[in-house]
Amino acid sequence: YERIIFKQVGTGSGSAESVFLIFTTGTLLLAPFAFFVEWPADWSFLWIAALASLAYAVQTVFYIKSLSNGEASLVAPLYYFSVFFLLALSVMFLGESFGLAKLAGLVMLVYGASFLHKKQSILHSLAALATDRACQFMIISSVLVALGRTLDAFMMRSVHPMVYTLALCFFTDLYIFIWLALTGKLGSARKMFRNKLKAGTIAGAVDCYSYLLLLIAISRIEVSIAEPASMLGMVVTVVLAHFIFGERIRHRLPGVAIMFAGAWLLFV
């Protein structure tokens, strides 16, 4: 549902303003839970949280740009191209496993993606995805997600997920606020708070709570497994895009099914 509500928030509005609305409301909704967790004695993790937040802040701007300018059922599945970059980074820096099953899963993800923008051949379909502006935004977003997730997995070895999530939200709010101030868009952001507060609050809750649950998962299983598992949400996004936005999805459903099977192979 995150992709649907993000599209509703971002359509007709500035991407940076949308990110600020979403993360500010999400931070406020998470803050009360800070009283129920143990805070760390060592705060040196903050510099890594600040770096990850910068990646996520830029990533979310591209993410909303993609959803605002393209069909949700087309661009949302491309978010999961992050597993390519994530798998490479987690194998190199986190020492996670890699085998034939994961390789087969990644191949199926690429093949399934070719159905999203169906042309006369797989190469033409992938080329169409690569040249579509909204798709380009989502692929850039997926690269930054992979970087952020690698830092997340490293930090989950020593920091409570709630503490880390709040730190990320705080730094993201700070970065976007500074950007809005420097570009003279604070007035536009205030207008968004007045006009889209309800949708922004829902988006903030969905985004921050789902992210927290993902971090809890990462603290227990490999990140190269946890991230593909979240691809289950892709099916929900595509179906909701049909009923809410009236998008035609029949020709994309086989691709979604193939990508789903590819994600399953990453568990083997």
Side-chain angles (χ1 to χ4, degrees):
Y1 182 59
E2 179 193 65
R3 283 87 182 166
I4 301 299
I5 192 66
F6 269 44
K7 182 175 178 67
Q8 290 175 329
V9 172
T11 299
S13 304
S15 298
E17 295 94 319
S18 300
V19 174
F20 188 61
L21 171 60
I22 291 168
F23 272 89
T24 300
T25 54
T27 303
L28 293 174
L29 291 170
L30 277 177
F33 294 97
F35 296 101
F36 301 97
V37 298
E38 182 178 354
W39 288 82
D42 182 8
W43 291 86
S44 60
F45 76 93
L46 286 178
W47 75 270
I48 295 181
L51 180 60
S53 297
L54 181 59
Y56 283 131
V58 178
Q59 174 263 321
T60 310
V61 170
F62 278 106
Y63 183 65
I64 291 179
K65 278 181 175 291
S66 177
L67 290 169
S68 300
N69 291 280
E71 292 187 346
S73 60
L74 169 64
V75 298
L78 294 177
Y79 172 86
Y80 295 104
F81 264 66
S82 61
V83 297
F84 283 100
F85 314 108
L86 179 60
L87 187 58
L89 291 172
S90 61
V91 169
M92 287 189 294
F93 298 110
L94 300 176
E96 296 192 0
S97 59
F98 180 76
L100 290 177
K102 285 187 177 180
L103 177 61
L106 293 177
V107 170
M108 292 185 71
L109 287 175
V110 175
Y111 179 61
S114 69
F115 283 77
L116 301 176
H117 210 314
K118 194 67 174 174
K119 299 294 182 182
Q120 60 266 39
S121 70
I122 294 176
L123 291 179
H124 284 92
S125 297
L126 294 176
L129 289 175
T131 55
D132 185 276
R133 192 63 178 270
C135 293
Q136 290 173 347
F137 287 148
M138 188 59 78
I139 292 172
I140 293 172
S141 173
S142 72
V143 175
L144 293 171
V145 165
L147 174 61
R149 293 290 188 267
T150 304
L151 294 172
D152 295 345
F154 178 75
M155 293 310 302
M156 285 305 94
R157 298 172 178 177
S158 57
V159 181
H160 192 286
M162 176 61 75
V163 175
Y164 184 71
T165 301
L166 284 171
L168 285 181
C169 289
F170 170 78
F171 281 117
T172 302
D173 291 337
L174 180 62
Y175 292 144
I176 299 297
F177 178 82
I178 292 173
W179 174 255
L180 291 173
L182 291 175
T183 55
K185 295 181 178 179
L186 284 177
S188 178
R190 285 194 294 269
K191 184 178 179 180
M192 271 207 72
F193 270 82
R194 291 195 301 269
N195 297 337
K196 293 191 175 183
L197 181 59
K198 181 179 179 180
T201 301
I202 295 172
V206 171
D207 183 57
C208 290
Y209 286 131
S210 63
Y211 178 73
L212 174 62
L213 291 173
L214 178 63
L215 290 185
I216 294 172
I218 289 174
S219 68
R220 290 164 170 77
I221 58 178
E222 290 185 350
V223 65
S224 57
I225 293 177
E227 182 68 16
S230 68
M231 289 184 66
L232 294 169
M234 174 178 60
V235 179
V236 179
T237 298
V238 172
V239 173
L240 288 179
H242 170 68
F243 287 105
I244 295 178
F245 301 124
E247 296 180 8
R248 300 178 63 182
I249 64 171
R250 180 174 298 179
H251 63 291
R252 291 173 181 156
L253 290 177
V256 172
I258 294 171
M259 294 180 76
F260 181 83
W264 177 82
L265 279 177
L266 296 175
F267 283 91
V268 177

